[in-house]
Amino acid sequence: MEYIWFEYDKPIKSQLPEPFKAVAIILSSFISMPLNWTKSNRKYEYEHIFPTLDQIKQCGKPVTWQEIMKKSKFKDYSELAWGLVTSIATLKEEYRNQFLADKINLNEDEYYPIEDNLSIFLIKDFVDVLTSKGAKKISFSNTILDVNKTLEVNEANCIEICKLCEEYPEVMIYDNNLDFAFLSVYDSFINLFLAKEESDIIDVLNIKKWEGFICDNNTRIRWFL
């Protein structure tokens, strides 16, 4: 199985390949770096910088959408998502909402989630879920750079899968039984969680406490519009 390119104007569930029947949108965490990290890493006063993966792994911490919503005075996830995607200029002009984009309130050492990628704070959790039903192999797919790997489930290979997910955008990882799959989504701050049964998604969300929601029959990639 290769990475799945979902059409933005059609419901996600209607595009799921067999044997997947259910899907959830998982929100990628914002990033918080230590106090004064930004100021100490700028080369000049107003330089726009973003921490590297190594820097995030070394000293970054996740910040929930709920936290950003509260201090930015957004009423729900949809408003924050709309503001985020507007601010990175990926929407057609008629769909942009600059009012919401301008409301996003981050302190100097807080940063957007990494777009296009699986959440760096959740990748290990994703791999844990893939192996939770006794899978013997995990596969990785990136069609843009034609990087595809299938590895036996062991500690070293799970670490390698995590590193691949950190390095490549637009990726999908899945187990050999196709019980679960996780995908990053181009030009977005979400990941998709696919499963054979919606009850499995509910169980995982209850255990892992990820921010997100289960898609209904009408949910699209641009779910906030």
Side-chain angles (χ1 to χ4, degrees):
M1 180 178 292
E2 292 187 341
Y3 180 85
I4 307 163
W5 291 96
F6 288 96
E7 295 185 44
Y8 284 15
D9 59 346
K10 294 181 179 180
I12 301 170
K13 287 185 72 174
S14 70
Q15 302 177 69
L16 292 177
E18 291 290 343
F20 300 113
K21 302 296 183 186
V23 58
I25 285 175
I26 308 300
L27 307 173
S28 293
S29 301
F30 288 78
I31 300 160
S32 176
M33 300 301 286
L35 184 65
N36 295 322
W37 182 91
T38 301
K39 186 177 296 184
S40 63
N41 281 272
R42 279 178 174 153
K43 295 178 182 177
Y44 51 88
E45 186 175 2
Y46 295 108
E47 180 188 15
H48 177 73
I49 63 173
F50 195 93
T52 65
L53 287 175
D54 285 341
Q55 289 169 332
I56 296 169
K57 289 164 66 177
Q58 181 180 7
C59 58
K61 295 182 179 179
V63 180
T64 67
W65 284 49
Q66 286 284 354
E67 291 175 78
I68 303 302
M69 283 167 53
K70 183 176 181 180
K71 70 177 184 175
S72 302
K73 296 181 170 55
F74 288 115
K75 66 181 182 181
D76 55 28
Y77 288 143
S78 295
E79 284 195 344
L80 177 50
W82 197 355
L84 283 170
V85 178
T86 295
S87 70
I88 62 171
T90 62
L91 292 175
K92 293 181 179 179
E93 188 170 354
E94 61 264 34
Y95 296 122
R96 295 174 190 169
N97 191 322
Q98 195 59 45
F99 172 75
L100 294 179
D102 292 341
K103 281 184 65 176
I104 299 172
N105 180 15
L106 304 181
N107 69 40
E108 186 178 51
D109 295 307
E110 290 177 335
Y111 293 87
Y112 277 21
I114 300 175
E115 63 184 284
D116 304 340
N117 286 59
L118 292 178
S119 173
I120 190 170
F121 298 112
L122 297 180
I123 292 171
K124 186 178 183 301
D125 268 0
F126 291 167
V127 172
D128 288 344
V129 170
L130 292 180
T131 61
S132 64
K133 287 196 170 189
K136 302 300 182 184
K137 296 180 181 180
I138 297 177
S139 294
F140 169 96
S141 173
N142 172 283
T143 55
I144 295 176
L145 299 175
D146 194 26
V147 179
N148 297 280
K149 289 192 174 185
T150 297
L151 301 174
E152 299 285 340
V153 172
N154 58 50
E155 185 175 356
N157 285 340
C158 286
I159 291 172
E160 181 176 349
I161 289 287
C162 289
K163 288 181 178 178
L164 287 169
C165 292
E166 291 169 0
E167 294 173 4
Y168 290 95
E170 288 90 58
V171 303
M172 179 172 70
I173 53 175
Y174 56 95
D175 65 274
N176 64 291
N177 299 320
L178 295 181
D179 288 314
F180 303 113
F182 294 92
L183 296 87
S184 58
V185 180
Y186 180 67
D187 279 348
S188 81
F189 303 97
I190 63 170
N191 300 158
L192 296 182
F193 174 20
L194 281 57
K196 289 179 180 177
E197 303 292 341
E198 186 171 302
S199 59
D200 286 334
I201 292 181
I202 293 171
D203 289 344
V204 170
L205 293 182
N206 286 337
I207 293 169
K208 296 294 188 181
K209 307 299 182 185
W210 300 330
E211 282 191 295
F213 55 90
I214 296 174
C215 300
D216 62 25
N217 291 332
N218 298 311
T219 308
R220 292 165 168 77
I221 294 292
R222 296 296 194 211
W223 52 278
F224 46 84
L225 293 177

